[in-house]
Amino acid sequence: MIKSKVSLAVLTALTTCALSTTAAAQTQPGEDNVELIQVRGIQGSLRQAAFQKQTSDVIQDSIVAEDIGKFPDQNVAESLQRITGVSISRVNGEGSQISVRSFGPEFNVVKLNDRTLATTTGSRSFDFQVLPSQLISGADVMKSPTADLSAGSIGAYVNIKTAKPLKQPGFHASATAKTNYHSLVKDATPELAGIISNTFDDDTWGVLVGVSFKENANRIDAYRTSHWNQYAGNGSGYGFPMDADDVLGEDGNPTTLAGSRGPGRSIFNMIDEDRERFGANVAVQWAPNDSFESTFDGLYTRLDREYLGSGLQVPNQTPRYTRAVISDEGTLLEATIADTDLEMNVVYGLQESTTTAFGYNGVYTGDRLVLEFDASYSKAETSFEGDDTTALHYTMFDADGVRQPSEILIDYHNDIPSLSTTGALDVTDISKVRAAWQRYAAEEAEDTVKEVKLDALYDIDAGPLVSVKAGAAYTKRNIAFSRFGTEFDPTSGGETWNGAGMWIGDGSTWGDNPATGALPASVLELSANNFMDGTGSGFPRQWVQIANHQAYREATQAYLEQAVANGDGWRGDIVNAGWDTVYPSPGGSYANDETMIALYSRFNFEGELGDYNWRGNLGARYVDIDNTARGTASTIDMLMINQESSNLPESVDNTATTSAKSSTVDTSESHFLPSANFMLNFENGYIVRLAAAQTITRPSLADAGVNVQETAGVDSPTVTIAGGNPYLKSYEVNQLDASVEYYADNGNAYSLAFFYKDISNFISTITTVGPWEGNISPELAAAYANLGQTVTYNSTRKENRDGGSVTGLEVGVLHNFDFLPGFGVQANYTYADSKDDSALPINLPSVVEPGSGLEGFAKNSYNLIAFYDQDAFQARVAYNWRDSFLSSRSGDGIQPEYNDAYGQLDASASYDINETFTVSLEAVNLTNETRLQYYGQRDRVSLVEMTGTRYYLGVRATF
């Protein structure tokens, strides 16, 4: 698995030297005399966050480091989810991206020190997995825009802050060592972190250096389905017996319910994953006098991950059903499949990702004028190789090479179906496994961001107008994504990345010859015997798996070479190149060059309304955006008849010649975005805020590529079109916000907020159909004419359309129990009701319509946190819950896809041994919850995922 890229000895030396800074409270512009709050422990962190919310010019929430170098959680996203209106998505159990007020990751601008950080996700969403939490001092979530904030956030503008040495003069240092234990892996891995900060020459300059290193051993148990399609009793579509009397309804009687559906694959997988993450940051500050301060800071992170999973795959698409039961709603409930090999599904990936960012910030402060200049550069790179389609199979031959009858029985009444086999199929017999189908692919991505900003703030004594702020910003972003794949098909005659794979044998002989695909016994082993431990029943808990993916590749390569030597018909050039040789994908690669220029002005006001103070701002931001999308489109040159597969005159099969065609598309758009914020302070703890703005969110960079692909239908006169759409325009929103807040003298805080967002331009995955106007061979045209058919296209791509509206409420509570010193609760609840004004019906039999809700919007979510902070002991228990929601209106089989409701319980505790040393224990997902997704109906499960419970035991030294 992954080998350490960083010497543990060096890291240990660094961390024992110490490291970290306290995050002192920051004053807001124009508030030089506000009280400074020293952060210590849970209560101190929450009080400072409430103080920042109280003194903000906008509607915002914050999180702050609990102590010197101590962020509240292992992951910044997992801390942000404690904020009102924020929920997170997880990758393999770790917080990855955030949603704010149910607006997904792509709708939120996430900055690091108010700068864009390059990513490799192909989207604009920020992946928190690459960011070590130990290097972070806090984060602000701003929900009402101002003119001086970068455009792009319909959900929220999130600014993550790293520590700076001059914010806490003097020498400060801390070091942390932890061991991480995963309940499914049953193994412990190390984590080391530290940060050191010092100031010199009467605190006129300072240096901060931080490092972190973390290993993670994870296991993900998953059941998933794919390739959903309509079943039919007449032999068309997937499965189902030819004899309609063997297709039964829930009442046990034969049924011919139209549109019944089931998966083409049902997959049980255990995936083992190893991760290494290294992070380092540096900050150098120089402030020779009160008028000037300059800061240079840099960040480097590296995330390496390798995973390997093997599991059971039921080939539901087979026509060898002998019995089927479907529900009254048309969902496959039970199936008996005879004389079909059970498959082993293999998932493998090796990924290396690096992010580099550095920038310079200079601030000049005169008597009435403040000038700020900021320039930054960031670059993210990633490389990936692997596959998720390789399949081996369990042979039905006995030890004497005689084929034996067998059956696969599967029952879908529960979320994870029961599965059993009869006859020769034995999922724990290593001798039964044969290599069958393979594909290997690779990807590379690179994203660079260059930004320059110049701001000027001028104090004015003109009645309620107290200052004017103006500025300009320039952003240049270049993203390039390349996909590569293996060409295996001996008859294809050309490189391809996704349509071809390699059959051991000719695709069918392994079903007749017991020796075909045989592998050395050392390549295979038995898996752990606790798959989905504690959940479900009736399915295997253990099976045969690949022991080492590299050894498996070498074994199958040797098998191919021997096949060519034996004259079995395989092309020698493929074998000689190696089965993992990859070629560029003509339709899977794209590049976007985006330039954004922004000008803004903001007018700041304050005054008195009777006995009360008020302040606010009014401004506008003008944004001009130019984008050049470059890449290749893989389109059909000629649609032809497949003479070998067609059964004329009854039916016809298509084939096509395709070629890669270079394409460049230039687009531009501009937006004038006004904003206003108003705050009335009643001076008794009560504050009322009002805000209004126009905002935008740019489309995902991956969605705006020119990488279009056309694919000929199989046994169907339909051309499938997929890929990017470079003509996508930005999401556009008008929004209103209002809040009432109360801050008590003892640190308690309560808030109630209302928000309304009118989305005038939206982007969705839309399926369109119509007559295909490409080139068709005369022979194929005549064949279709005889059948009375015409060639059509089916395009599934992102398109602009009318939007809808979102109306919501937020309630936040921070309450300390005075009669129970040290005890308190933090709780929040968010309600978001979405309405899609242009939702189109699906109009397919046995498919439930998704209704009028917008994609990605959960109606209800809440967080409940109980904490204790007294003397040397601190503890916290947190429960986060999010309602079910529509994630896509066009999922597998053109069915709507939903995320089921999910709740998770986390806990942490720490004890200060003395002023220097603290021990801590944390647990994530204490109750081992599983995540579930489904297609349209709750009985059409698409994913059940278990990631286990993670424990962290650590010791921390502070100096």
Side-chain angles (χ1 to χ4, degrees), residues 847-885:
V847 173
V848 176
E849 296 291 343
S852 61
L854 284 167
E855 297 163 87
F857 289 86
K859 184 164 287 189
N860 301 283
S861 61
Y862 63 83
N863 304 303
L864 297 174
I865 303 103
F867 61 85
Y868 176 79
D869 184 356
Q870 188 76 2
D871 300 325
F873 184 72
Q874 299 179 52
R876 180 182 62 212
V877 177
Y879 183 75
N880 313 106
W881 185 86
R882 189 183 189 187
D883 206 349
S884 60
F885 63 93

Side-chain angles (χ1 to χ4, degrees), residues 1 71 128 195 247 331 393 512 628 641 787 862 865 876:
M1 303 302 273
F71 206 64
F128 288 89
I195 189 167
V247 182
T331 304
H393 70 98
D512 300 323
T628 298
I641 192 169
L787 294 172
Y862 63 83
I865 303 103
R876 180 182 62 212

Side-chain angles (χ1 to χ4, degrees), residues 534-755:
T535 301
S537 62
F539 49 83
R541 305 285 183 175
Q542 185 180 39
W543 46 70
V544 180
Q545 66 179 13
I546 290 178
N548 180 281
H549 196 263
Q550 181 62 35
Y552 167 72
R553 290 162 59 184
E554 292 172 355
T556 51
Q557 175 68 24
Y559 187 96
L560 274 180
E561 292 173 355
Q562 186 62 48
V564 171
N566 293 340
D568 289 344
W570 282 88
R571 278 172 45 191
D573 58 336
I574 298 175
V575 176
N576 294 335
W579 76 263
D580 56 349
T581 300
V582 294
Y583 304 88
S585 158
S589 304
Y590 62 87
N592 277 280
D593 302 325
E594 182 181 83
T595 302
M596 183 182 300
I597 298 174
L599 302 172
Y600 78 88
S601 60
R602 168 179 162 175
F603 299 87
N604 300 311
F605 302 89
E606 64 180 41
E608 295 181 353
L609 186 63
D611 296 331
Y612 310 125
N613 294 322
W614 65 271
R615 72 173 185 267
N617 57 77
L618 180 67
R621 190 176 188 94
Y622 174 80
V623 182
D624 184 80
I625 307 165
D626 294 316
N627 184 70
T628 298
R630 297 176 286 106
T632 54
S634 179
T635 57
I636 293 175
D637 298 315
M638 181 67 70
L639 192 65
M640 303 174 296
I641 192 169
N642 189 335
Q643 299 287 354
E644 295 181 358
S645 301
S646 295
N647 184 23
L648 298 175
E650 290 82 7
S651 64
V652 61
D653 187 13
N654 295 329
T655 188
T657 58
T658 61
S659 63
K661 301 174 179 63
S662 297
S663 178
T664 299
V665 175
D666 294 318
T667 58
S668 63
E669 59 181 90
S670 59
H671 300 272
F672 180 79
L673 306 172
S675 61
N677 288 267
F678 173 83
M679 187 268 280
L680 179 62
N681 190 342
F682 289 91
E683 307 300 338
N684 58 356
Y686 285 95
I687 291 175
V688 173
R689 300 180 193 270
L690 300 173
Q694 289 184 354
T695 59
I696 63 169
T697 288
R698 291 284 292 147
S700 166
L701 292 161
D703 293 336
V706 296
N707 50 314
V708 176
Q709 281 192 297
E710 293 182 345
T711 306
V714 178
D715 295 322
S716 169
T718 302
V719 172
T720 300
I721 303 175
N725 180 0
Y727 298 100
L728 291 175
K729 296 292 186 181
S730 298
Y731 298 85
E732 297 175 350
V733 170
N734 296 323
Q735 68 177 54
L736 297 172
D737 290 88
S739 73
V740 178
E741 303 160 10
Y742 174 73
Y743 302 90
D745 293 337
N746 65 350
N748 292 348
Y750 314 91
S751 63
L752 173 65
F754 165 84
F755 59 90

Side-chain angles (χ1 to χ4, degrees), residues 392-428:
L392 290 79
H393 70 98
Y394 291 86
T395 180
M396 292 181 290
F397 292 93
D398 62 17
D400 297 323
V402 179
R403 188 181 181 93
Q404 300 294 320
S406 65
E407 287 185 327
I408 300 172
L409 297 91
I410 189 164
D411 186 323
Y412 294 95
H413 280 89
N414 297 316
D415 291 336
I416 305 174
S418 63
L419 173 68
S420 60
T421 60
T422 65
L425 296 177
D426 183 355
V427 300
T428 60

Side-chain angles (χ1 to χ4, degrees), residues 8-188:
L8 288 179
V10 173
L11 284 168
T12 304
L14 285 170
T15 54
T16 53
C17 288
L19 314 173
S20 180
T21 57
T22 49
Q26 301 181 29
T27 60
Q28 298 296 318
E31 297 183 4
D32 297 330
N33 299 317
V34 297
E35 176 189 3
L36 291 178
I37 303 174
Q38 189 71 23
V39 178
R40 286 292 185 272
I42 295 175
Q43 286 187 326
S45 170
L46 295 175
R47 288 195 181 200
Q48 182 175 338
F51 177 75
Q52 292 185 0
K53 177 182 177 73
Q54 180 181 5
T55 57
S56 173
D57 289 334
V58 300
I59 297 175
Q60 80 167 54
D61 289 277
S62 299
I63 51 174
V64 180
E66 292 179 4
D67 209 335
I68 297 174
K70 181 174 182 283
F71 206 64
D73 295 276
Q74 295 293 317
N75 178 286
V76 180
E78 292 174 358
S79 286
L80 286 170
Q81 73 175 327
R82 316 239 194 274
I83 286 179
T84 307
V86 177
S87 56
I88 68 173
S89 58
R90 293 176 171 84
V91 173
N92 298 342
E94 183 175 359
S96 174
Q97 297 178 325
I98 66 169
S99 297
V100 182
R101 294 173 165 178
S102 285
F103 283 89
E106 69 273 21
F107 297 106
N108 303 297
V109 171
V110 180
K111 301 272 189 172
L112 184 68
N113 296 322
D114 282 314
R115 299 166 181 155
T116 303
L117 194 66
T119 69
T120 57
T121 61
S123 68
R124 301 175 193 275
S125 58
F126 188 87
D127 187 354
F128 288 89
Q129 295 179 97
V130 305
L131 196 61
S133 63
Q134 296 89 346
L135 308 182
I136 305 304
S137 65
D140 298 322
V141 179
M142 287 161 270
K143 301 172 182 176
S144 62
T146 58
D148 54 323
L149 293 179
S150 297
S153 56
I154 291 177
Y157 180 98
V158 181
N159 183 38
I160 303 169
K161 297 172 287 189
T162 56
K164 301 294 189 294
L166 294 185
K167 294 294 183 183
Q168 185 67 27
F171 177 81
H172 301 277
S174 74
T176 302
K178 292 183 179 181
T179 182
N180 308 327
Y181 180 82
H182 192 285
S183 64
L184 294 179
V185 179
K186 302 188 183 304
D187 194 11

